[in-house]
């Protein structure tokens, strides 16, 4: 069978700008590679990028979106801080400005099934609202527009983008969902599973090529051999650990399953950049423009 190509993008808030610039550089070096992707997967900010590419936006369009609109999206007014006691009883940011930008980009009513490309976008459902004796519980959710009984083609693009990017403590939950990063901040393995599933992709493992792109490896760590911390101290670090700490797991799995047909582009950031630090947008652009992408370009030309 012909090669089946997957492009996967991690979550990371404003660091999606780093991903967008990497995509821009890769597209300049290997023209048309994004158009050849059969499946676009993304979590959180990566989900917005995946949906944007599927809707026909270019990497340059996405760079402009992050560069020009991040300050508005991460607008934390003194009045909001007063209402939520500086984040103690409310999210750091309102999601209204994010929604306005997403509506501007995707339209208010456009559905996943109207996208010309296949997508997989993780989120986390806080309550399945089960009734009739079924178990009520939270669960991961992988929105996709493949045809079939479990297709999410009827979902609005804006809603899916809002759900996958609702990072706990940063943004409010959206329609009962929070950021897909709590279960699959690196969605490459989810995309691979979707491609292999007989009811959706039905592809053979040997035919799959997968490029996974990070938002930059953040040089973050916690000092101390014995941290006797309570809830207040662990609340924000645990969010970061949940969202970023497990990204190496799907990388390990995909590398073993696909071998040379898999490549991970994960440059180390010179300095840590927080999910919401829009003031470092200029630094992220410089970091991404100077990052080494030679091996990724070589891999794309050989395998993609």
């Amino acid at each position: 069978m012909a090669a089946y190509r997957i492009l996967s993008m991690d979550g990371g808030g404003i660091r999606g700008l780093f991903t967008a610039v990497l995509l821009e550089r890769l597209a300049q070096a290997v023209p048309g590679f994004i158009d050849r992707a059969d499946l676009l997967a993304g979590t959180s900010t990566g989900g917005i990028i995946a949906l944007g590419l599927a809707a026909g936006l270019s990497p340059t369009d996405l760079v402009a979106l992050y560069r020009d609109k991040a300050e508005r999206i991460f607008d934390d007014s003194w009045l909001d801080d007063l209402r939520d006691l500086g984040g103690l009883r409310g999210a750091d940011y309102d999601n209204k400005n994010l929604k306005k930008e997403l509506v501007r980009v995707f339209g208010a009513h456009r559905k996943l099934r109207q996208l010309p490309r296949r997508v997989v976008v993780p989120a986390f459902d806080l309550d399945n609202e089960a009734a009739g004796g079924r178990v009520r519980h939270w669960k991961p959710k992988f929105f996709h527009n493949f045809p079939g009984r479990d297709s999410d083609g009827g979902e609005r693009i804006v809603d899916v983008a809002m759900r996958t990017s609702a990072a706990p403590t940063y943004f409010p939950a959206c329609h009962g969902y929070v950021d897909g990063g709590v279960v699959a901040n690196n969605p490459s393995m989810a995309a691979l599973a979707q491609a292999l599933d007989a009811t959706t992709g039905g592809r053979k493992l040997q035919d799959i090529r997968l490029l996974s792109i990070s938002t930059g490896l953040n040089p973050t760590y916690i000092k101390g051999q014995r941290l006797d911390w309570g809830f207040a101290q662990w609340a924000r670090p645990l969010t970061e650990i949940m969202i970023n700490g497990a990204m190496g797991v799907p990388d390990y799995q995909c590398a073993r399953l696909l071998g040379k047909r898999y490549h991970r582009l994960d440059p180390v950031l010179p300095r840590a950049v927080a999910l919401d630090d829009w003031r470092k947008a200029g630094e992220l652009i410089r970091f991404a423009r100077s990052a080494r992408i030679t091996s990724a370009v070589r891999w794309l030309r050989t395998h993609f």
Side-chain angles (χ1 to χ4, degrees):
M1 293 179 66
Y4 188 82
R5 302 170 182 87
I6 301 173
L7 179 57
S8 174
M9 279 77 61
D10 291 1
I14 184 57
R15 298 197 305 275
L17 175 57
F18 185 83
T19 305
V21 175
L22 291 179
L23 283 168
E24 186 177 48
R25 292 181 63 201
L26 291 173
Q28 290 168 354
V30 189
F33 92 90
I34 294 174
D35 295 332
R36 292 196 292 274
D38 299 288
L39 173 59
L40 298 163
T43 299
S44 192
T45 195
I48 293 172
I49 292 173
L51 291 166
L53 294 175
L57 274 67
S58 70
T60 302
D61 295 330
L62 292 165
V63 169
L65 173 65
Y66 281 88
R67 183 191 63 219
D68 300 339
K69 304 299 182 181
E71 180 179 1
R72 185 181 182 202
I73 291 169
F74 292 109
D75 178 26
D76 190 23
S77 69
W78 67 268
L79 182 59
D80 180 66
D81 272 347
L82 184 64
R83 282 196 299 262
D84 61 25
L85 301 181
L88 289 176
R89 67 171 191 181
D92 283 344
Y93 307 104
D94 198 316
N95 57 12
K96 291 180 180 177
N97 288 338
L98 174 59
K99 184 174 182 179
K100 287 178 182 178
E101 290 304 320
L102 293 173
V103 168
R104 183 182 64 81
V105 171
F106 296 112
H109 305 293
R110 193 176 183 188
K111 307 291 181 63
L112 286 186
R113 63 168 171 255
Q114 295 175 286
L115 291 171
R117 316 280 290 281
R118 296 285 182 238
V119 295
V120 174
V121 180
F124 191 77
D125 186 357
L126 295 174
D127 181 2
N128 67 351
E129 300 181 344
R134 293 181 298 152
V135 177
R136 189 171 182 176
H137 61 100
W138 56 28
K139 61 182 178 65
K141 169 64 180 176
F142 297 90
F143 291 97
H144 69 83
N145 61 352
F146 285 85
R149 187 176 58 183
D150 71 337
S151 176
D152 302 296
E155 294 283 353
R156 297 193 309 167
I157 298 172
V158 168
D159 292 340
V160 174
M162 291 287 291
R163 292 165 186 170
T164 191
S165 58
T169 76
Y170 290 96
F171 289 110
C174 182
H175 308 137
Y177 292 86
V178 294
D179 197 302
V182 303
V183 289
N185 204 41
N186 173 352
S188 55
M189 191 62 192
L192 177 58
Q194 193 78 31
L196 292 171
D197 191 306
T199 63
T200 51
R203 302 291 168 169
K204 295 183 182 300
L205 189 65
Q206 62 266 26
D207 295 323
I208 294 176
R209 316 303 192 244
L210 199 162
L211 175 63
S212 174
I213 303 179
S214 80
T215 56
L217 181 59
N218 228 358
T220 304
Y221 58 90
I222 299 176
K223 292 177 63 176
Q225 298 297 309
R226 186 181 181 277
L227 299 174
D228 187 16
W229 285 2
F231 177 80
Q233 295 101 324
W234 274 115
R236 178 52 64 84
L238 275 178
T239 300
E240 297 290 339
I241 290 170
M242 281 192 305
I243 291 178
N244 296 312
M247 288 194 292
V249 177
D251 178 40
Y252 177 89
Q253 294 166 329
C254 288
R256 269 78 193 156
L257 288 169
L258 294 172
K260 293 181 180 180
R261 300 187 307 279
Y262 168 78
H263 186 82
R264 171 83 167 158
L265 179 56
D266 189 19
V268 178
L269 296 174
R271 287 182 292 281
V273 178
L275 183 152
D276 59 342
D277 197 352
W278 61 267
R279 291 175 179 84
K280 292 184 179 176
E283 288 186 35
L284 285 169
I285 292 173
R286 290 194 296 274
F287 295 161
R289 286 179 177 164
S290 63
R292 297 187 64 177
I293 62 169
T294 306
S295 60
V297 170
R298 186 183 307 117
W299 183 88
L300 282 170
R301 290 172 175 165
T302 303
H303 297 285
F304 214 78

